[in-house]
Amino acid sequence: DQQVKQNSPSLSVQEGRISILNCDYTNSMFDYFLWYKKYPAEGPTFLISISSIKDKNEDGRFTVFLNKSAKHLSLHIVPSQPGDSAVYFCAASANTGNQFYFGTGTSLTVIP
Amino acid sequence: EPEVTQTPSHQVTQMGQEVILRCVPISNHLYFYWYRQILGQKVEFLVSFYNNEISEKSEIFDDQFSVERPDGSNFTLKIRSTKLEDSAMYFCASSVHLANSPLHFGNGTRLTVT
């Protein structure tokens, strides 16, 4: 039961350009969404979050957009840097529960 | 910056043996979690823990699994009789609040069952 989906397993972007990572969810009870970045042999690192009362949240080069009607969120990284190369996971939770549901991840490669 | 620490980083065990994975959550966090990631697959929820008891668990978290907070700092995951399919990265996480609060993950323990 894949409640959070990342349909692109990989993405390559030129340094300096925008990276757009996408995520879809099916559970309308989800009200809190996060993006994590993961390097090999490390745990996921929290990047940015958004609650369902907002449609955009920005933190430096990272912006998360939420489209509740489409059950879709995206992470924009601009400008992309080689150090951004990692696997990015989106995750979602409902305040009625105690767990986060993760997507399968998108591997981002930023080409210098 | 405070972080979640996990030990060991890699554990190799034989099928049928018991393993204990250890975690030290961030000190002011109240909610604790175990997740796992089988190679090439998604990060899967195992269990959440609050106020010294399990608050939620997944179907994966069957009777062979148990969690404990034996003292004020450690949070452990025990697998009683390991199976080959238990081979995965096990991540511990903690958060300050339950709702609208990000999980902070440790670097994981790679469990290999032979």
Side-chain angles (χ1 to χ4, degrees):
Chain A
D1 179 21
Q2 190 72 16
Q3 299 194 49
V4 178
K5 300 178 186 177
Q6 293 175 257
N7 292 319
S8 298
S10 63
L11 175 68
S12 289
V13 171
Q14 207 71 33
E15 180 179 5
R17 306 294 290 269
I18 184 171
S19 295
I20 300 177
L21 298 106
N22 294 301
C23 180
D24 298 293
Y25 61 96
T26 56
N27 189 338
S28 57
M29 297 298 291
F30 288 154
D31 59 3
Y32 183 57
F33 305 88
L34 311 93
W35 283 95
Y36 284 85
K37 175 181 180 180
K38 186 180 180 305
Y39 293 118
E42 293 185 13
T45 301
F46 169 69
L47 267 181
I48 192 169
S49 64
I50 188 167
S51 76
S52 58
I53 61 173
K54 301 173 83 171
D55 54 20
K56 177 183 173 181
N57 189 24
E58 194 171 348
D59 184 1
R61 296 186 298 114
F62 302 92
T63 303
V64 56
F65 294 92
L66 176 63
N67 182 334
K68 290 185 287 295
S69 60
K71 295 193 179 68
H72 178 83
L73 68 155
S74 61
L75 175 69
H76 292 208
I77 307 173
V78 55
S80 302
Q81 299 172 353
D84 296 330
S85 297
V87 178
Y88 289 78
F89 292 94
C90 65
S93 70
N95 67 6
T96 53
N98 286 309
Q99 64 171 291
F100 287 81
Y101 295 84
F102 282 78
T104 49
T106 296
S107 177
L108 173 66
T109 302
V110 180
I111 303 163
Chain B
E1 186 176 322
E3 56 182 29
V4 176
T5 56
Q6 289 186 244
T7 54
S9 56
H10 192 188
Q11 174 90 47
V12 181
T13 189
Q14 287 191 323
M15 196 167 52
Q17 296 296 304
E18 175 182 288
V19 294
I20 298 176
L21 310 183
R22 303 181 190 280
C23 171
V24 178
I26 296 172
S27 61
N28 65 331
H29 285 190
L30 301 176
Y31 297 86
F32 315 115
Y33 306 80
W34 284 99
Y35 281 77
R36 79 174 185 189
Q37 185 181 27
I38 295 171
L39 187 64
Q41 299 186 24
K42 65 177 180 174
V43 176
E44 298 177 292
F45 170 76
L46 291 177
V47 66
S48 58
F49 191 88
Y50 169 70
N51 200 26
N52 283 320
E53 60 182 29
I54 291 173
S55 45
E56 190 169 347
K57 61 182 181 180
S58 71
E59 290 177 356
I60 303 168
F61 195 87
D62 61 22
D63 291 344
Q64 69 162 340
F65 291 91
S66 62
V67 290
E68 194 178 31
R69 189 155 162 83
D71 52 42
S73 59
N74 290 285
F75 179 50
T76 62
L77 174 69
K78 182 192 291 186
I79 310 175
R80 252 178 284 280
S81 177
T82 51
K83 298 180 264 204
L84 294 176
E85 54 265 38
D86 294 329
S87 295
M89 281 292 291
Y90 287 80
F91 294 105
C92 173
S94 66
S95 65
V96 177
H97 303 296
L98 177 60
N100 292 357
S101 179
L103 302 183
H104 295 265
F105 285 85
N107 281 333
T109 294
R110 177 170 296 285
L111 177 64
T112 303
V113 182
T114 61

